[in-house]
Amino acid sequence: MNNQLLPIHFAPLQGFTDAAYRTAHFRWFGGVKTYYTPFVRYEQGEIRRKDKRDIKSINNQTIDLVPQLIGANHKEILPIIALFIDNSYQKIDINMGCPFPMVVRKKWGSGLLPYTNEAIALI
């Protein structure tokens, strides 16, 4: 049997696992290979300000962070991807698994899965 440990990836919890929490967790507990941000989303014609602050590189210097976005179409996700690129991220996560009803109704997260052509168009 292989004695190597599997890497731990830290999933986000909206409203709790912001940059300060992730940094404190890393400092005091460690052991996490990669942290993921809560969803960065496009609302009312713009990216939420708190999401912009949360993913700034200056707030996440000590950890390996993958920003996570949620959206249903290019109009929603392209500005978010541009924000990630502007902040020098090399990896992103497009969430297609969130089953929360409010998210699903907007065709975000798992709500996009029944729309195969639209999901494929995102990538």
Side-chain angles (χ1 to χ4, degrees):
M1 180 153 161
N2 189 344
N3 288 330
Q4 292 182 350
L5 295 175
L6 294 175
I8 296 173
H9 296 268
F10 193 96
L13 181 59
Q14 191 74 38
F16 295 99
T17 53
D18 62 4
Y21 182 95
R22 292 187 300 266
T23 301
H25 184 276
F26 178 79
R27 180 176 178 195
W28 292 104
F29 301 104
V32 173
K33 180 180 187 260
T34 304
Y35 289 82
Y36 290 80
T37 67
F39 310 136
V40 175
R41 60 181 163 234
Y42 199 72
E43 285 185 351
Q44 300 175 355
E46 62 184 3
I47 301 169
R48 297 182 317 166
R49 279 184 269 163
K50 74 178 199 166
D51 291 345
K52 289 179 185 180
R53 278 191 313 271
D54 189 56
I55 63 121
K56 283 189 179 281
S57 300
I58 192 80
N59 296 330
N60 296 284
Q61 293 179 347
T62 60
I63 64 173
D64 178 30
L65 183 67
V66 175
Q68 182 178 195
L69 68 83
I70 197 162
N73 56 55
H74 283 106
K75 180 183 176 191
E76 293 175 354
I77 69 166
L78 289 178
I80 299 169
I81 292 171
L83 175 67
F84 294 165
I85 292 168
D86 289 348
N87 282 276
S88 303
Y89 288 100
Q90 301 295 311
K91 298 180 274 184
I92 65 169
D93 179 66
I94 300 175
N95 183 287
M96 290 189 185
C98 181
F100 191 64
M102 190 169 74
V103 169
V104 170
R105 279 192 293 272
K106 295 180 180 183
K107 288 173 50 176
W108 292 352
S110 64
L112 189 58
L113 294 178
Y115 305 94
T116 308
N117 292 336
E118 292 175 42
I120 290 170
L122 289 181
I123 55 173

